[in-house]
Amino acid sequence: WLPISNCFSQERLVALYGNGSTRGAAFAGARGTSIQKLFLAKQSAYSKTAGSLEKWSSMAKDAEPYIRKYAPVAWEEIKGAGEAGIEGVNMDVMLMLAVEYEMYVEVGSDAQSSFRPPADKCTGYGAPGLSGQNNDEAPNLYLDAAEDVVLSILDPDGHGALIYTHPGWPAYMGMNSHGVSVLWQYIDTGERGAGVPTNVLIREMLAQASLDSAIQFLGHTPRMIPNNFILTDTSRVVNVELSSSHFTPLSLSQGFVVHTNHLLFDQAMQDQDIGNEQTSVQRYKAMRALVRHHDGSRVQAEDLQSMLATHPVFRDGRAGTDNDTLASMVFDLHSLSMGIWFKGDAYRSARRYAMPTLQTWGAHGSSDEAHQNIHV
């Protein structure tokens, strides 16, 4: 693995301190141009399918009361960004980006659409104390990940988080200072419902003080579409296959979980699986095989980063892969650190970020301790 210089690591880091509204406004100020560019790219893509822009706006309006009621941390950040007065970034834009994944799944599931369903995206691994995954998406829909960031979040009480996301989406994957990480993989049974959108669920789970409270939040919150989540702390890993009506957790204190994009544990959902693409099975078997090489020894963060960079788990159009890995990340819950590779970085290079604390927070939002080079 190759080191990445500290200046380039800082370019991807957005440090946000304060209450939710303050953090949201600061994010809009720091990445307003990125939010606008990504929104316009999505708007252009959906405009090619009749009725899609109207549907997208309607989905955002329908989700707003659920976000306000069930996800107060995410809501304050969304509201702070939407009301910050940044050109091209308003409440309509922020709410539409909050439900954009649901929109993509819905439009992609329509046989008449030019989009294809995202059934071949993302491979995740979780074990007590360690988790990681690749985020695989169509690069043209996300500006080749050139705008993707890591959010380094700290509130006045010292609660922190490190979150990977596209600017404007509340959260994709991340970990918090309580030692809880959240990963996310696409699954689909076709079930749809009213509720809180996926990326808001993730952000709110990362605001919880324990794995149990994150699971409780997820189980008691109305959900719009099916998803798989892998939640981890230092003692357990919990995999949850869910939809609007299903909630199926698998909790392990030993061993590991690998999940891609087909149903594994909920047999009723499995019978309705419409996202069971061949690449999902291929990546699942490949990741399981990579993990088996470590039978009898503990998988370290460096090992997991290497597994995620191995074809066909890693996807770049070569070695029989399709689509693209936009980011590859590992969360070490013992050291509260994150290693991440972004599309465009040198292959098998990584950036490392440490959890922000009140002690390390500096005049510019984070100290040198919060973002360091790694060579793994």
Side-chain angles (χ1 to χ4, degrees):
W1 285 79
L2 302 172
I4 289 185
S5 70
N6 203 39
C7 61
F8 283 113
S9 291
Q10 286 182 273
E11 287 177 356
R12 294 284 191 166
L13 188 72
V14 181
L16 303 172
Y17 176 79
N19 62 28
S21 179
T22 300
R23 295 193 303 267
F27 184 55
R31 287 295 191 272
T33 300
S34 297
I35 294 171
Q36 186 177 21
K37 286 164 64 176
L38 282 159
F39 178 75
L40 291 174
K42 285 290 185 175
Q43 195 175 50
S44 175
Y46 289 132
S47 69
K48 297 177 174 62
T49 302
S52 288
L53 293 179
E54 293 80 5
K55 184 176 183 63
W56 189 12
S57 178
S58 176
M59 289 177 71
K61 288 182 173 62
D62 291 344
E64 179 180 351
Y66 289 93
I67 299 172
R68 293 170 67 112
K69 179 177 181 178
Y70 292 98
V73 173
W75 171 250
E76 285 300 314
E77 292 175 348
I78 290 168
K79 189 168 179 285
E83 295 180 351
I86 304 300
E87 183 179 358
V89 180
N90 55 39
M91 284 300 294
D92 288 341
V93 167
M94 295 305 297
L95 285 168
M96 288 173 76
L97 290 176
V99 300
E100 192 280 324
Y101 178 71
E102 280 69 20
M103 179 63 188
Y104 179 47
V105 172
E106 188 67 19
V107 174
S109 300
D110 184 348
Q112 305 302 314
S113 170
S114 59
F115 288 84
R116 62 176 179 175
D120 55 353
K121 64 192 297 290
C122 303
T123 302
Y125 167 94
L130 184 68
S131 67
Q133 84 166 70
N134 287 350
N135 180 42
D136 302 334
E137 294 181 300
N140 62 303
L141 296 178
Y142 299 92
L143 304 180
D144 283 314
E147 308 295 329
D148 288 5
V149 294
V150 170
L151 308 180
S152 178
I153 293 173
L154 190 66
D155 72 17
D157 294 323
H159 305 306
L162 291 168
I163 297 172
Y164 159 76
T165 194
H166 308 303
W169 286 253
Y172 254 57
M173 300 95 191
M175 66 182 294
N176 68 23
S177 57
H178 301 288
V180 177
S181 69
V182 179
L183 307 180
W184 158 48
Q185 299 84 42
Y186 162 90
I187 55 173
D188 201 5
T189 61
E191 184 181 359
R192 306 290 183 258
V196 177
T198 301
N199 298 106
V200 174
L201 289 173
I202 296 167
R203 176 64 189 99
E204 206 66 24
M205 281 190 280
L206 288 167
Q208 304 304 307
S210 69
L211 178 57
D212 285 334
S213 59
I215 293 294
Q216 184 177 29
F217 161 78
L218 188 60
H220 289 85
T221 299
R223 304 171 295 269
M224 293 179 69
I225 62 172
N227 276 301
N228 188 76
F229 296 108
I230 302 175
L231 293 90
T232 309
D233 66 10
T234 55
S235 62
R236 282 185 298 155
V237 55
V238 181
N239 189 93
V240 184
E241 293 178 341
L242 57 75
S243 65
S244 297
S245 64
H246 285 250
F247 184 83
T248 306
L250 169 70
S251 180
L252 300 174
S253 58
Q254 297 182 17
F256 65 92
V257 171
V258 168
H259 210 291
T260 52
N261 310 118
H262 57 287
L263 274 296
L264 296 175
F265 306 117
D266 186 315
Q267 294 181 352
M269 291 182 71
Q270 196 174 61
D271 288 344
Q272 305 299 320
D273 193 348
I274 62 173
N276 194 351
E277 294 290 327
Q278 191 58 42
T279 63
S280 178
V281 177
Q282 178 193 37
R283 285 179 285 111
Y284 174 75
K285 291 180 177 179
M287 191 67 182
R288 287 287 309 273
L290 288 166
V291 176
R292 274 197 298 271
H293 286 304
H294 290 269
D295 278 355
S297 63
R298 180 181 167 191
V299 174
Q300 304 289 336
E302 294 83 0
D303 301 322
L304 182 53
Q305 197 90 50
S306 181
M307 293 178 200
L308 293 171
T310 302
H311 297 95
V313 175
F314 181 83
R315 303 166 70 192
D316 57 1
R318 293 180 290 179
T321 66
D322 60 353
N323 214 325
D324 272 57
T325 295
L326 299 188
S328 179
M329 67 210 77
V330 170
F331 302 100
D332 187 330
L333 300 170
H334 294 286
S335 65
L336 292 181
S337 63
M338 171 187 184
I340 186 168
W341 171 94
F342 290 99
K343 180 177 170 61
D345 290 347
Y347 180 55
R348 289 188 177 271
S349 65
R351 308 159 189 258
R352 186 182 182 101
Y353 301 101
M355 188 65 63
T357 67
L358 291 174
Q359 290 71 36
T360 61
W361 205 263
H364 299 289
S366 60
S367 74
D368 288 340
E369 295 176 47
H371 45 269
Q372 302 170 358
N373 307 331
I374 61 171
H375 185 188
V376 295

